[in-house]
Every structure is written in C-alpha cells, then in structure tokens.
C-alpha cells in the first residue's frame, strides 16, 4: 500500500517507517520536525530504509498531500500529558482539530484506511480493575481528552470505504534514535545508567501498562494489513495483560538489570494517572498480533544500547530527548510562535 505516516520525525514514527517499508509498503513521511535536533544512535540494520519526509505542519496538510495515498497512519501530535498541559489550547488545535481535519481530507481523497495512535491514558484514573475497550474513559489531561475526541469524531467518519482503527497504546519503551527519556522505562533506565539512582517521581503505586515500540509498530502493521471487517471502527488496547505493572515493579525490574542502583520514591504530586488495562481484545481480535517484548527485555536492550554508545549524563539531559524541554526551548528561542508554527 501507499501509506502516509505522520510523525516520522518522532520516537515511534522513526521506527515504524522502516518496518512498514520492509513489509513492502511505499511510505511517505510527514512531520513538522520539532525533535529533529536529537538522534541518539544509528543502526543500519533496523533503520536502513528511510522514507521521504515532508516537513510540514499537520494543520497545513492539503488534499494534494493525500493524492494517491491508500492508507494513513497518524502519529503526529503533541505526544504526552505534560506537553498538553503546557499549552492546552494549542494541544486542542493540533491533536484534536488537526487530526480530525486530516481524516476528513483523507476520506475525501479516497484513502481507504486510517489508523490512529490513541493512548491508554484515555482511562485516566482507574481503581485497579482491568479496563477494556468498553470501559468508560476518564481522561485527566488535555492530551487524553483530545484522544477521546479524535476517536469520537474520526469514528463518525468511518464507513465501508473508509476503514478507521484506533490503537490505544500503552506507555511505550525501547530504543529509537529520536529517543524519548520522558516515558517511564526509558527514563528510569537512563537514570539508572547515568546516576546509579532509580528515582520514581511518584510513590510507585500507580498502575502503568507498558509496551515496546516495536510491538506498537507490529500492531499498526497488523491493523493496516488485516481484513477490513476485523478492524473497521474498532478500538484496540495495544499491549499484553502481563505487562501491567505498578511503577515500583517497573523500578524493581530495572534495578535488576542495572545492578547497584539506589531506588527512591517521590510524592504523587499532580500526576494521579493510574490504570490497569485488559489486552484480551487485541490478543484474539487482531490477526497476527502478539507482543514479542516485555519490560525486562526492554531494559536489557537499553542497557546494551547505553553500553554501545557510551551514553552519558549530558546526552540523557539533552533537550530534544524530553519533549516538553524541547518545545519550551523552541518557544524561548522564538523558533516557534505562540501557536507552535515555525517562524
Ligand atoms: N510513546 C508513547 O508512550 C505513546 C503512548 C500512547 C500513544 N502515543 C501516541 O503515538 C504518537 C507518536 O508518539 P511518539 O512517542 O512517537 O511521540 P513523538 O513526540 O516522539 O512524535 C510525535 C511527532 O509528531 C510531530 N508533530 C507534533 N505536532 C505536529 C504538527 N502540528 N504537525 C506535524 N508534526 C507534528 C513531532 O514533530 C514528532 O516528531 C502520538 O500521537 C502519541 O500520542 C505514544
């Protein structure tokens, strides 16, 4: 298929595009490039195929960008809760309006499939019970509220000829050149490696399902390649049941992989998100999908990567590897305007 992947300059998109190309799809990338300053490592084995990438804001996409495209995988958004709280009004413009507009343009252009990267953070605060795709959502932040609104509004555009699928990803981890050290496993592994301290920002009690970035990519290609009837209008939680952890359990796994570290907890602070998620539906309902990774192997992968690249504190702290830091830097240096358009 000819696939437009938005967000190919980001953490997941950088890994996804070569995987889709390796499966024979013709990929065009699109990204505004907020994080292009950061490139943690090279790996020609996994990153040898790179798509052509339009450097363009989602909000400026036109019908011409979708000409001849058969499927859209949409990842390009402000990508986490703190980022959304930084400037909620811009988050709504990009994540909600930009995404719905992209889907409308895609449908009008005759695109057949639209796969959207939603998030388990739509569940917000649960009480420890397993939440599935039919459970009530409880979004706590502008970011998560946008995910719910996009699912609703893009869901309404779905038809026999415009197959829409929503992937509610657990929190990702794993190696990507456009690294994110603002997601829990990547962050704690980098802390362990650079400081010998695994410092949780919460008291460690919140539930957090996690999933490897390669398994997210696998779920996306399974959704793209599935019979329409299996995925049209469907929501899938992306992950596996055994990968629901309390944050302190994640920290203990990391302590095991990075021996000799001190483990500390923090105050729960403002982040009250805690959700435990059922992944039964994707296990039985998405043809070809099962997870290949778990948190332990993911931590080992990062330890091996840090060893190979001699990862240091400055690299860990580099702005482009923490989404909020990089956007604040681009704002402060007036490289982007109040609406986050490049000047
Ligand atoms: N990483 C996770 O843990 C996770 C979990 C659940 C859902 N998701 C979703 O998956 C998607 C990708 O996440 P990621 O971790 O790769 O995030 P990321 O921040 O690394 O990548 C997002 C990309 O989108 C681009 N982008 C942002 N605003 C844009 C705009 N207005 N126009 C064009 N491009 C724009 C950025 O430049 C960036 O390259 C996001 O929608 C995110 O919400 C991620």
């Amino acid at each position: 298929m000819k696939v437009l992947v938005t967000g190919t300059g980001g953490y997941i998109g950088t890994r996804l595009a070569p995987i889709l190309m390796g499966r024979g799809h013709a990929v065009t990338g699109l990204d505004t490039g907020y994080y292009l300053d950061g490139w943690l490592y090279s790996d020609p084995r996994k990153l040898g195929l790179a798509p052509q990438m339009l450097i363009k804001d989602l909000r400026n996409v036109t019908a011409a960008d979708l000409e001849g495209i058969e499927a859209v995988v949409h990842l390009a958004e402000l990508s986490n809760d703190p980022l959304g709280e930084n400037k909620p009004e811009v988050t709504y413009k990009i994540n909600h309006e930009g995404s719905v507009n992209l889907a409308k343009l895609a449908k009008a252009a005759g695109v057949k499939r639209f796969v959207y990267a939603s998030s388990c953070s739509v569940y917000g605060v649960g009480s420890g019970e397993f939440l599935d795709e039919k459970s009530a959502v409880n979004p706590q932040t502008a970011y998560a509220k946008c995910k719910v609104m996009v699912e609703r509004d893009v869901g309404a555009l779905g038809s026999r000829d415009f197959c829409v699928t929503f992937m509610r990803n657990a929190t990702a981890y794993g190696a990507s050149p456009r690294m994110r050290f603002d997601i829990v496993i990547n962050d704690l592994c980098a802390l362990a490696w650079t400081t010998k301290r695994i410092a949780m920002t919460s008291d460690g009690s919140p539930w957090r399902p996690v999933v490897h970035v390669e398994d997210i990519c696998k779920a996306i290609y399974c959704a793209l390649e599935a019979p329409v009837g299996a995925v049209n209008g469907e929501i899938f939680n992306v992950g596996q049941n055994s990968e629901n952890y309390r944050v302190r359990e994640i920290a203990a796994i990391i302590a095991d992989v990075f021996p000799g570290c001190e483990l500390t907890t923090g105050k729960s602070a403002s982040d009250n998100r805690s959700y435990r998620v059922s992944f039964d539906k994707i296990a039985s309902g998405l043809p070809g999908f099962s997870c290949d990774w778990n948190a332990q192997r993911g931590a080992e992968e990062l330890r091996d990567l840090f060893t190979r690249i001699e990862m240091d504190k400055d690299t860990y702290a580099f702005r482009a590897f923490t989404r909020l830091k990089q956007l604040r830097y681009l704002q402060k240096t007036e490289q982007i305007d109040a609406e986050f358009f490049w000047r």
Side-chain angles (χ1 to χ4, degrees):
M1 271 184 282
K2 285 181 110 174
V3 188
L4 176 74
V5 181
T6 72
T8 39
Y11 172 70
I12 297 172
T14 303
R15 296 298 316 276
L16 175 66
I19 291 173
L20 292 182
M21 293 169 84
R23 295 183 68 77
H25 299 293
V27 175
T28 303
L30 183 143
D31 200 299
T32 195
Y34 292 142
Y35 315 113
L36 295 185
D37 293 352
W39 187 261
L40 185 66
Y41 68 96
S42 290
D43 178 357
R45 283 173 313 128
K46 289 194 168 172
L47 303 162
L49 298 166
Q52 209 171 41
M53 183 160 85
L54 289 168
I55 302 289
K56 190 163 193 173
D57 195 292
L58 174 67
R59 295 164 289 181
N60 292 335
V61 171
T62 65
D65 297 315
L66 291 149
E67 237 175 66
I69 297 293
E70 292 163 284
V72 171
V73 176
H74 179 41
L75 309 171
E77 288 186 356
L78 299 179
S79 59
N80 65 20
D81 294 286
L83 214 53
E85 296 309 290
N86 177 35
K87 271 231 170 185
E89 64 285 8
V90 181
T91 301
Y92 285 104
K93 289 272 181 217
I94 295 176
N95 293 19
H96 178 226
E97 290 176 26
S99 297
V100 175
N101 191 44
L102 175 70
K104 284 183 179 161
L105 286 170
K107 185 174 178 178
V111 170
K112 296 280 173 255
R113 290 179 183 237
F114 191 92
V115 176
Y116 176 64
S118 189
S119 166
C120 283
S121 70
V122 297
Y123 298 117
V125 190
S127 49
E129 76 282 19
F130 277 98
L131 300 164
D132 68 18
E133 292 81 350
K134 291 202 164 71
S135 303
V137 294
N138 187 11
Q140 301 294 302
T141 59
Y143 167 78
K145 286 175 188 156
C146 284
K147 291 291 189 202
V148 172
M149 293 193 294
V150 173
E151 287 185 5
R152 179 196 65 198
D153 297 346
V154 174
L157 296 172
S159 70
R160 228 178 31 189
D161 299 324
F162 186 59
C163 169
V164 294
T165 311
F166 304 101
M167 315 306 282
R168 285 187 183 162
N169 299 298
T171 299
Y173 62 86
S176 167
R178 304 275 183 219
M179 197 54 173
R180 289 185 57 180
F181 288 128
D182 53 9
I183 38 186
V184 62
I185 291 188
N186 295 355
D187 185 23
L188 294 183
C189 285
L191 265 179
W193 177 262
T194 56
T195 68
K196 288 266 171 207
R197 279 187 65 215
I198 300 171
M200 289 168 266
T201 50
S202 69
D203 63 4
S205 65
W207 284 102
R208 199 64 99 254
V210 294
V211 64
H212 194 277
V213 60
E214 283 181 14
D215 286 329
I216 291 180
C217 296
K218 186 176 182 184
I220 290 172
Y221 73 66
C222 286
L224 268 183
E225 296 168 10
V228 166
V231 294
N232 199 357
E234 297 296 335
I235 297 174
F236 293 100
N237 295 331
V238 180
Q240 60 187 327
N241 290 345
S242 59
E243 293 300 286
N244 280 287
Y245 296 102
R246 289 190 187 273
V247 171
R248 61 171 172 262
E249 293 171 336
I250 293 176
I253 290 171
I254 293 170
D256 201 40
V257 175
F258 296 82
C261 288
E262 181 197 353
L263 261 170
T264 61
T265 52
K267 295 203 178 66
S268 286
S270 54
D271 188 358
N272 60 347
R273 291 170 309 141
S274 178
Y275 39 90
R276 197 177 185 197
V277 174
S278 162
F279 298 98
D280 287 345
K281 180 175 173 182
I282 195 166
S284 61
L286 185 61
F289 182 77
S290 60
C291 284
D292 294 323
W293 289 80
N294 60 33
Q296 167 94 24
R297 269 195 66 214
E300 289 165 2
E301 178 201 36
L302 291 178
R303 180 199 59 204
D304 295 348
L305 173 67
F306 297 161
T307 308
R308 174 159 77 84
I309 65 172
E310 297 185 1
M311 173 68 181
D312 58 21
K313 279 187 183 164
D314 289 346
T315 307
Y316 168 53
F318 182 51
R319 53 185 158 73
F321 298 134
T322 295
R323 298 304 180 240
L324 187 54
K325 242 191 225 180
Q326 175 71 358
L327 277 187
R328 288 210 167 124
Y329 161 80
L330 294 176
Q331 286 173 268
K332 183 173 74 83
T333 52
E334 299 187 353
Q335 297 185 65
I336 56 174
D337 66 16
E339 304 284 304
F340 291 10
F341 285 107
W342 292 99
R343 282 178 190 275

